[in-house]
Amino acid sequence: MICPKCSFENIPGAKFCSECGSPLTDSGKIAGLSVEPEKHADSPRGDLDTSKIPDIRIPGVNADETDASVGQGVLDQSGEDGFDFDPIDDEEEPEYGDWGPYAYDPDSDGTTKRIQDTRGIDEFLVEPGYTPPAPAWKTGDTMEMPKVEGGATPQKKEFKAPGAEKKRGGKGRFVIIGLIVVLVACAAAAGITYSMELWGGKTVPNVEGMQKQQAIDELEALGFTVRTTEVKSDDAADTVLLMDPNAGSRMEEGTEIVLHLAVNRAVPSVVGMTQEEAAGAFEAEGLENIEYVTEKSNEAEGTVLSVDPEAGAKALSNQKITVTVAEAYIVPDVAGMSESEALAALADAGYSGYSTYVYAENPEGTAIGTDPEAGSKIASGTDVGVMIAKSRANEVIALTNDYLGSAGTVTIGGTTYEIVSVDGSTTYKGDNTTETSVTVRAMTTLDGETVYGSSKQRTITIVWSSENTVESVS
């Protein structure tokens, strides 16, 4: 049955619309009173035409059983259609409100219809064709039904149409709650199975600190593959130092796990390398406490001669390692030394020394220098000469004294003089020239006889050549 007001489809035989609460007739029209306020202003209610309310009279209730109006508004209880007001046995009392079907003749034409049983619902008996006043309520408001004249005032009933939001939220709320429950259950199941490692891979165990084979066995038992790499360390050999990925990571089976294994440090072979090359080798091995010492050698300067401990020995990172590096032989500086001291210094420096004498203003007999010069880097055993200072003054003075003492005569200006005596010391005047005070007497030969003059004191000047021969006497 379609409600003409809200178009809601009600069950057949419904007296009120289940959606908006409007009363219905069997024909599907809204039952009620026409609203004509201006025509019925004097009626008990200004908004109802009470003349259209039928006068329903029931014999034995509000009419006599012999009332002549039976059939004209008074309900006839005679015959099969008469009401039986005797008590109804409990066993036979019908149960109203179960919405069961029952037979009904809505048009009194002898043709019955089976409709839903709505008995038990409080209804107002209204005339078919009654038009109720237009509702002025909104969702949630109520409407007061018109009073039936001639009878007791019925108790007010409230018929509330469910709000649109409430109606829409009813079943939807339960659906949402159900979905949430299902999602929570699924999430819980997923979490449990994940923690049981039934899916999502396996947890990588912590194998750091283990030995190589033990760590490999544990990882491969979980389905991982293993690759190893060596790291210089002070730890025991083959100890797992690091792992990649880290322990605790969740990885699929077959994932490669890289293990960094400890390998002992060893002294590298650096003999023959330069000092710089050796330093790089020690750094690569992780050895930090290196001491370099030098030793005289004919090897190229800076060449590593030896290492202690020897190459290949195991060593900790902080263990002391001594490296001997070649140091070149250098000619020492002997200037100012005596001849004997200079020769000894050359011997100590690894050289074979010899003396050479040179004229110089330095004190006679002192070392002037070496050849090669001091500071030269030459191989040990090389001959190195020491230049010893020699005084030209002393030399020519000695030559002059010897000459005057043995010559006996000197020729000066074409005159020959006999040297009677050397009176004073000889002095060096520079440029190989000396002066000496002597007593001489002139001499000549007359008729075969030597004639001497008187003795006189005189200064004789002698110039010597570089070959120590007399160049001139004056």
Side-chain angles (χ1 to χ4, degrees), residues 212-254:
K212 173 183 176 181
Q213 195 57 50
Q214 180 185 2
I216 292 175
D217 292 343
E218 184 167 338
L219 291 170
E220 289 182 345
L222 294 174
F224 299 115
T225 60
V226 180
R227 179 167 62 88
T228 61
T229 182
E230 293 183 344
V231 179
K232 301 291 184 181
S233 174
D234 291 340
D235 290 293
D238 286 340
T239 299
V240 178
L241 303 177
L242 296 171
M243 54 188 301
D244 183 23
N246 294 329
S249 304
R250 194 70 175 258
M251 296 294 171
E252 295 292 337
E253 294 186 21

Side-chain angles (χ1 to χ4, degrees), residues 270 275 278-279 282 287-294 304-309 317-325:
V270 295
Q275 181 173 335
F282 288 122
L287 300 173
E288 304 170 352
N289 189 8
I290 310 299
E291 180 183 15
Y292 294 94
V293 296
T294 60
V304 175
L305 303 177
S306 63
V307 60
D308 182 29
S317 60
N318 60 352
Q319 181 175 342
K320 181 179 178 180
I321 297 175
T322 302
V323 180
T324 303
V325 180

Side-chain angles (χ1 to χ4, degrees), residues 54-59 62-78 81-83:
D55 184 12
I56 302 174
R57 302 177 67 80
I58 303 174
N62 60 352
D64 295 334
E65 296 181 0
T66 58
D67 195 325
S69 60
V70 173
Q72 300 179 6
V74 179
L75 185 62
D76 184 3
Q77 64 172 344
S78 63
D81 294 333
F83 284 111

